[in-house]
Amino acid sequence: MKVIRSNEKLMPDYRRVIAKKFTIDNPDREKRIVERLLTKSPVEVDKLLKEVFDRFKDRHRDVERIFKDNFNIVSHYVDQETSLKQKLLIGSYFTMEYSVESAALFNPSIVPHPVQSGTEEGELRVIVSFRAVGEGHISSITFRQGIIHEDGSISIGENNCLIEQSNIRTSTLYSKKEFVLSLKEADLEEKAKPILDELISHFSRKELDDAIQKYEVSSKERSRNKIIDTMNLLASTNYSMEFHSQTDISSRVIFPVSKSERKGLEDARFVCFQDASEQRRMYYATYTAFNGSAIIPQLIETRDFIHFTVSSLHGNAAKNKGMAIFPEKIGGRYAMLSRLDNENIYVVFSDNIKMWENPSLIAIPHEDWELIQLGNCGSPIKTDEGWLVLTHGVGPVRSYFLGAMLLDLEDPTKVLGTLKKPLMSPNEEERSGYVPNVLYSCGSVIHNGWLVIPYAMSDSFSSFAKVKVTDLLKELKKN
């Protein structure tokens, strides 16, 4: 069995910046800044604003809209009539650039592109997602487009330096059932009952705010603030977003927007899901929302990589990191790999893709190179012989190795084979970086008999490898 590494390396590009709100976290200071700017004469405003536009208009698609939106956030400090130019200038002082991948570009996953028109015979157009890390170790999700050729080699398209965040929309309606599940997990269901009793099965943000306001006035519950904060947090973890359809996919970045993910969206595992009852495919991705101290498992849904919805995962199996959804239902139910105890691999079945209970343990650390912990490297891939699962094992000196196992097609709780030795081990070039001695992947794809593996090196940058599927399956069936 021969694993062939690509010479192509995908490196972080510090030129890729977004414009975001510059937060000072001091209302008095913010007010003084606004007051100083309001003393500027119209001539001074024109001069300053022109200088700012000249410097930044070519670095962002709509810098005028960015400045106006950021002015709106601090507009409550303005108590006089202001011109549009004054508003834009004020907004520019409350704007900052952030380089989304200045520190690292790693933990990739790969799926077939929803549009295959224009490809040559024997080619597969793909989308590769990455965990991008910038200043303050904040993680976001970025994308690249590529072509896998007939021989399993891959060509990645040019990277667009002009990137943008999505337009965020809070969910039109929230599910009461999902709120109850989350509150139950936090042991707050009974205490939150006065708020829940005011809500119908699917409710709007305004209806939630009205119920909370009524509760604030009437409740004497000691944990009242915790309950309110939890309800608001749950609302913030469920939202939708969309990008301009004309933007190149490498221009799109999913950046943290809610309090639950303010320190990042980590390790998205994308999968192309085909439901037998539907003609269209859905792309799902599980990821970890991190707020600096706690993690929340989240789910992304999209059909076109333009429109996305984000929601929370629930249940005793939706814990920790490393959840990966199977690409189709098994026995009429959704299926998912989980590593809920941070050590072993489980399989979970569910009728609801957001609710995961009753996991079944299928694999524990066994080989020398995985004795610390074992986890998946993305969603299972269907083959004639079984579900092919790439794994990662952690061994001595916290070294991460890539492995594989084969699961039964009809009952993936049955392990048909594993590898005695790692599929890939960090070599001398790969072992040095931000987190040394780590190889990691969040998803692979099969094309024309080749397993194409995007993988990260030492949490710093990424590359690709390929191996013949028949050779890998043959090796797995020995064990």
Side-chain angles (χ1 to χ4, degrees):
M1 183 174 61
K2 184 179 181 181
V3 177
I4 304 170
R5 285 165 159 86
S6 169
N7 291 323
E8 182 160 16
K9 303 292 187 293
L10 298 174
M11 310 296 290
D13 187 346
Y14 57 83
R15 299 172 301 168
R16 287 164 54 81
V17 296
I18 58 171
K20 61 190 287 283
K21 169 72 167 61
F22 175 44
T23 302
I24 296 174
D25 285 333
N26 185 322
D28 292 334
R29 279 191 64 197
E30 290 183 333
K31 183 178 181 182
R32 287 196 296 271
I33 293 168
V34 172
E35 289 172 345
R36 289 173 196 140
L37 289 167
L38 289 174
T39 65
K40 300 291 182 184
S41 69
V43 173
E44 291 174 311
V45 170
D46 283 350
K47 181 175 180 295
L48 266 173
L49 192 59
K50 183 179 183 306
E51 290 174 356
V52 174
F53 274 133
D54 287 346
R55 288 184 63 203
F56 293 97
K57 65 182 180 181
D58 294 328
R59 291 169 66 88
H60 306 281
R61 294 189 186 279
D62 192 353
V63 73
E64 190 175 55
R65 166 51 57 193
I66 292 167
F67 291 165
K68 182 60 168 58
D69 287 346
N70 287 339
F71 165 78
N72 292 339
I73 297 173
V74 297
S75 61
H76 56 283
Y77 297 125
V78 178
D79 57 3
Q80 64 186 65
E81 286 294 321
T82 52
S83 68
L84 176 60
K85 288 183 177 180
Q86 283 178 302
K87 293 174 182 178
L88 295 177
L89 182 62
I90 291 171
S92 74
Y93 276 77
F94 289 92
T95 300
M96 65 173 285
E97 287 190 331
Y98 183 87
S99 179
V100 297
E101 57 187 55
S102 58
L105 187 70
F106 63 116
N107 292 3
S109 74
I110 188 170
V111 289
H113 196 292
V115 179
Q116 293 294 324
S117 58
T119 55
E120 301 292 334
E121 185 176 352
E123 292 182 339
L124 177 70
R125 182 178 291 117
V126 293
I127 293 174
V128 186
S129 68
F130 298 90
R131 176 180 170 185
V133 175
E135 176 191 356
H137 200 79
I138 297 175
S139 300
S140 55
I141 301 171
T142 60
F143 303 97
R144 297 284 293 275
Q145 181 174 290
I147 295 288
I148 300 178
H149 305 285
E150 192 172 6
D151 64 353
S153 63
I154 186 167
S155 301
I156 296 296
E158 288 189 15
N159 209 14
N160 198 323
C161 288
L162 200 62
I163 63 173
E164 63 179 35
Q165 294 176 258
S166 61
N167 295 316
I168 302 297
R169 300 174 180 173
T170 56
S171 291
T172 305
L173 293 175
Y174 300 103
S175 165
K176 183 175 180 178
K177 182 179 180 180
E178 290 176 12
F179 267 57
V180 169
L181 289 171
S182 293
L183 290 166
K184 186 176 182 179
E185 290 170 1
D187 199 26
L188 291 173
E189 181 185 3
E190 284 302 315
K191 293 178 180 179
K193 195 171 183 300
I195 299 177
L196 294 170
D197 286 346
E198 296 291 324
L199 303 172
I200 58 176
S201 59
H202 291 85
F203 56 91
S204 68
R205 179 72 217 213
K206 184 179 185 306
E207 289 169 329
L208 174 62
D209 290 341
D210 290 344
I212 289 175
Q213 186 177 25
K214 182 178 178 180
Y215 173 74
E216 282 183 300
V217 173
S218 61
S219 175
K220 295 180 181 179
E221 171 65 50
R222 282 186 181 181
S223 55
R224 182 179 66 174
N225 290 340
K226 182 180 180 181
I227 293 167
I228 293 171
D229 288 346
T230 301
M231 297 291 276
N232 285 322
L233 179 65
L234 292 174
S236 73
T237 59
N238 294 265
Y239 57 90
S240 62
M241 65 183 100
E242 68 176 309
F243 294 90
H244 295 297
S245 59
Q246 300 305 310
T247 60
D248 180 79
I249 193 162
S250 70
S251 298
R252 302 169 198 165
V253 55
I254 301 178
F255 195 77
V257 297
S258 71
K259 289 182 179 180
S260 66
E261 59 191 28
R262 65 184 182 84
K263 292 297 288 184
L265 304 87
E266 300 184 352
D267 303 342
R269 286 163 161 80
F270 277 88
V271 62
C272 180
F273 184 90
Q274 182 68 61
D275 193 327
S277 63
E278 294 186 14
Q279 294 298 315
R280 297 176 66 193
R281 295 178 296 184
M282 175 67 80
Y283 295 88
Y284 292 117
T286 59
Y287 74 92
T288 304
F290 182 50
N291 67 5
S293 59
I295 60 174
I296 296 178
Q298 294 279 93
L299 179 71
I300 295 174
E301 302 172 65
T302 183
R303 292 192 187 275
D304 54 14
F305 286 84
I306 297 171
H307 305 86
F308 297 81
T309 60
V310 177
S311 52
S312 298
L313 294 175
H314 308 279
N316 59 20
K319 303 290 184 185
N320 218 301
K321 294 186 174 185
M323 285 156 282
I325 296 170
F326 281 69
E328 63 183 57
K329 290 183 177 180
I330 300 174
R333 307 181 77 195
Y334 295 103
M336 183 177 76
L337 296 177
S338 172
R339 195 190 64 189
L340 58 101
D341 58 6
N342 203 35
E343 186 177 1
N344 308 297
I345 297 179
Y346 297 78
V347 167
V348 201
F349 298 97
S350 179
D351 296 319
N352 181 347
I353 199 164
K354 298 178 185 179
M355 181 67 187
W356 301 93
E357 298 273 1
N358 304 316
S360 298
L361 177 65
I362 65 164
I364 64 174
H366 179 71
E367 305 297 343
D368 293 344
W369 46 275
E370 61 184 25
L371 291 181
I372 291 177
Q373 69 188 50
L374 189 62
N376 71 73
C377 279
S379 292
I381 303 171
K382 193 174 187 179
T383 73
D384 291 339
E385 303 291 337
W387 293 106
L388 176 60
V389 178
L390 288 195
T391 63
H392 66 267
V394 183
V397 199
R398 196 176 176 260
S399 298
Y400 277 66
F401 304 87
L402 298 192
M405 61 182 182
L406 190 66
L407 308 180
D408 186 82
L409 284 176
E410 295 184 1
D411 182 5
T413 64
K414 295 179 180 178
V415 179
L416 304 181
T418 60
L419 293 182
K420 291 287 289 182
K421 296 180 179 180
L423 178 66
M424 294 179 67
S425 305
N427 61 30
E428 285 303 311
E429 181 187 6
E430 298 163 342
R431 64 182 300 188
S432 297
Y434 186 44
V435 183
N437 304 305
V438 173
L439 291 190
Y440 201 88
S441 177
C442 287
S444 304
V445 68
I446 289 177
H447 177 63
N448 198 37
W450 290 97
L451 176 66
V452 180
I453 309 167
Y455 69 100
M457 310 173 195
S458 297
D459 283 13
S460 296
F461 52 97
S462 299
S463 188
F464 299 90
K466 63 179 183 178
V467 62
K468 277 287 187 182
V469 176
T470 52
D471 293 345
L472 178 55
L473 293 176
K474 181 179 179 181
E475 197 70 26
L476 282 166
K477 287 188 287 185
K478 288 180 182 178
N479 241 7

